[in-house]
Each structure stands twice: as structure tokens, then as C-alpha cells.
Amino acid sequence: MKTEKESTATVVKNTGSRYMLSKLPEWKLFPAIIRGRMRMGDFDSTNPVAIGDRVEYYIEPDGECVITSVLPRRNYIIRKSTNLSRQSHIIASNIDMAFLVVTVALPEIKLPFVDRYLVTCEAYGIPVVILLNKADVLEKDAGAASLAERFVEIYGGAGYDVLKVSIYDKESISAVMDRCRGKLVLFSGQSGVGKSSLIKLLSGSADIKVLPISSSHLQGKHTTTFYEMYPFPSGGFAIDSPGLRSFGLVDLDRSQLSCYFPEMRSVMDNCRFMPCSHTHEPGCAVKKALEEGKISRERYDSYLGMLLKDEKYR
Ligand code: GDP
Ligand code: ZN
């Protein structure tokens, strides 16, 4: 029985069966539940409500707040529940920007993961900034420094904004803060790259757990189990997401794949054939750019891996 007019708010926290809502940009949290079956969107998802969702709710006579529907999502990021499952899990929705946090120190950078993530953001129209964290280590470690240089070459060359940052370098942190202002920012990356440390610094929140690099990090175990939003004092919000191991793209049209590689997108109009898979066709502008070193071998290999559904890219 409804006693009050429906109202809308944003989901800022998910603790399994309960949700915390707030009427953003105001930060006043209140709990809510869902009851029974909710109408799902157009694909099979394991969670009907995700962080960032704008929802409609009403308040029952006993004060319980019940979510009744999810307003259309501007965008969302999903991952497959398992490799074999056709179901997907919505990580977050209505995102303004994504920070992909990587490091050339520990843990080892996984380019297939990076490329898969970037493709997902391109497919959903989410601007992405790559944070190359633990830059302080580069001064002491020549091997790491040359890896970092190559990384910046590949991804800067592909057109991405790559920022070298360190939690010990205030200037780099304020450069990150400048990009966050007024936005809902999703932080993603493998476990141990420093997402929690960065969010803790940016939000000034004391209750974010930072774990020492341990064997659990190396095994890629999750330290963040549930998704949560943190407000930045300077405006804007962060969402921390667990170290994503499998980051599956659901419903990706493979004939469109090269459109999600900005450096390919910018030359493919010149391919002789349309459509062109950029693999064997004569007069292919992508392969020409590859030969001229304008497209990196690493990125092209990632493209092939995804195109051919290589296990590494699933
Ligand atoms: P998360 O799993 O991505 O949230 O990573 P954490 O924030 O828990 O950090 C993992 C480890 O990396 C911790 O021991 C941090 O102290 C360390 N760490 C994070 N950022 C930096 C950095 O900029 N430089 C260095 N040297 N270590 C960092
Ligand atoms: Zn081509």
C-alpha cells in the first residue's frame, strides 16, 4: 500500500539485500529495499539495481523505503558473472567518467584487461582517463620506468589521457582531483593497484580499507566486495569497484569492434573495403598505420584477440 507520493533518489551503496539512497548532489543517506520481482531491463542481469541508478521509491506506513523502479540508465558498465554464464552483473550506471588505475610496479599490468576495459568504455560512451599509479617507484626502478614509458607511448599514442600519479605526490593527486570535480567517477583496476588509496586521499574518508600488497592481491582476490560511492569534498563522487578479473563485454557486435579503438576509428574510413576486418583485406588503412608504427603492435594484437574471441580477452 502506498502512503506517499513516489520520489526519486540515487543508489549510493549496495550491501547485498539493502541499498542506501541519497538525493544527489545532497549527501544524506537513507536505507531502502526492493520487494519481489522488479522489472528488468533488456538483458539478463544478476542485480536489478546498481550503484548510480536513479530509482523511484515510496515510504510505507512503518517507515520502510521501497524501491519500485529504476529510471532509464544513461550508461552502465557490466561484467559477466562467469565466463560460461550468459548473465551479467551491472557494476555501475550513469557514470560521467572512468578512471582505469594501473601500475607498472606490483601487480603486473595486464594489457588484455586494459584493452578490454577501454573497449567497454568506448562502447558505452564513457570518457576514460588512465591513472598510472605508484609513479614514485619509477625513480628507483629502471625496469619499471622503461615499462611505464612504453605504456604511455602505447596508450597516449592511441589517444588516451594517461596521468602518472603517486599517492606520495600531492601535485599528481590534485591533477586527478581537477578531473573529478562535479562528476560521478568509476575507479577500476586490478586488485592492489591503489584504487582505495587514491579514493581515500581524494575523498578524505577514513573508513576506506587499504590493504598491504599480499598474496591475496597477487591472486586477484577481491578486497572490496560491495560497491559504494564516496563524495569528494570538492564536489563529485567516486565509485570503487572490486579488482575486476573478468571483464566481459556482453552483446558486443564484433563487426563494430574497431570503432572502439580510437586509433583505428580515425583511419578506417580509408580502408578500400567496407566493412573491413583489418586482418586480410588489401588496401587496409589500419594495417598500413600498423606498419608505419602509428598503431601499436600491442593494441592491434588485442584487437585480434577480441575479434577472434581469444580466451585471454574474455
Ligand atoms: P586497491 O586494491 O586497488 O584498492 O589497492 P590499495 O589502495 O589497497 O593499495 C594496495 C597497496 O599499494 C597498498 O600497500 C598501498 O599502500 C600501495 N600503494 C597505493 N598507491 C601507491 C603509490 O602511489 N605508491 C606506492 N609506492 N604504493 C602505493
Ligand atoms: Zn581495414
Side-chain angles (χ1 to χ4, degrees):
M1 184 181 62
K2 292 180 187 180
T3 56
E4 217 178 84
K5 220 174 85 207
E6 297 224 341
S7 193
T8 59
T10 302
V11 179
V12 301
K13 190 173 175 174
N14 174 5
T15 56
S17 55
R18 278 196 161 263
Y19 301 89
M20 295 300 282
L21 309 183
S22 183
K23 289 176 175 290
L24 299 186
E26 192 180 87
W27 192 255
K28 269 192 209 151
L29 311 196
F30 54 96
I33 54 162
I34 53 175
R35 199 168 273 158
R37 279 169 63 88
M38 274 198 28
R39 215 184 67 79
M40 304 283 252
D42 40 359
F43 63 89
D44 204 5
S45 147
T46 52
N47 57 330
V49 178
I51 297 270
D53 276 347
R54 302 240 308 133
V55 296
E56 289 183 312
Y57 66 90
Y58 68 92
I59 297 169
E60 295 197 317
D62 61 1
E64 186 97 86
C65 180
V66 182
I67 297 171
T68 52
S69 68
V70 177
L71 298 179
R73 297 177 173 116
R74 195 153 49 85
N75 60 39
Y76 49 80
I77 287 213
I78 50 183
R79 80 178 145 78
K80 280 186 192 164
S81 304
T82 66
N83 276 349
L84 297 174
S85 168
R86 290 185 54 220
Q87 272 198 323
S88 52
H89 183 92
I90 306 175
I91 293 167
S93 74
N94 301 322
I95 304 153
D96 296 310
M97 191 167 70
F99 279 159
L100 175 58
V101 186
V102 298
T103 175
V104 290
L106 222 72
E108 190 195 336
I109 211 161
K110 293 203 173 73
L111 295 190
F113 168 83
V114 169
D115 291 321
R116 181 135 211 121
Y117 188 86
L118 295 175
V119 162
T120 307
C121 290
E122 294 289 335
Y124 294 127
I126 300 168
V128 52
V129 174
I130 304 175
L131 303 183
L132 186 53
N133 193 30
K134 310 196 187 183
D136 53 290
V137 177
L138 305 179
E139 288 158 27
K140 298 164 256 170
D141 184 339
S146 79
L147 270 179
E149 211 165 290
R150 180 66 192 140
F151 185 88
V152 173
E153 218 169 72
I154 296 171
Y155 291 95
Y160 288 99
D161 189 6
V162 186
L163 280 185
K164 278 191 198 161
V165 296
S166 162
I167 57 168
Y168 305 111
D169 174 10
K170 277 207 187 108
E171 232 169 83
S172 73
I173 297 299
S174 53
V176 174
M177 209 176 270
D178 283 344
R179 283 172 170 73
C180 297
R181 210 149 277 147
K183 296 191 174 118
L184 175 56
V185 184
L186 178 73
F187 283 69
S188 314
Q190 290 162 246
S191 198
V193 292
K195 296 180 296 296
S196 308
S197 309
L198 286 167
I199 295 176
K200 194 170 178 167
L201 269 177
L202 293 163
S203 65
S205 165
D207 27 295
I208 298 175
K209 274 193 222 92
V210 173
L211 299 181
I213 282 275
S214 65
S215 52
S216 74
H217 272 126
L218 297 177
Q219 287 159 18
K221 282 223 183 84
H222 296 167
T223 51
T224 316
T225 325
F226 293 111
Y227 306 100
E228 190 164 351
M229 209 183 272
Y230 301 93
F232 295 129
S234 55
F237 304 89
I239 300 174
D240 196 0
S241 56
L244 305 167
R245 261 176 305 170
S246 58
F247 197 81
L249 258 184
V250 179
D251 299 335
L252 175 71
D253 180 355
R254 273 188 289 162
S255 67
Q256 299 285 310
L257 185 61
S258 54
C259 301
Y260 305 135
F261 285 74
E263 71 274 49
M264 296 190 187
R265 192 167 60 216
S266 66
V267 299
M268 58 194 259
D269 276 351
N270 300 324
C271 291
R272 189 181 304 159
F273 293 95
M274 196 86 88
C276 179
S277 72
H278 320 301
T279 53
H280 60 275
E281 297 88 343
C284 171
V286 168
K287 293 205 80 168
K288 182 163 171 273
L290 175 70
E291 276 148 30
E292 291 168 352
K294 290 175 185 151
I295 288 176
S296 78
R297 172 57 59 185
E298 289 88 341
R299 290 272 294 169
Y300 183 73
D301 283 349
S302 274
Y303 167 75
L304 287 185
M306 284 181 222
L307 193 70
L308 306 170
K309 286 207 168 180
D310 187 332
E311 262 311 300
K312 222 169 42 164
Y313 298 91
R314 292 175 64 87

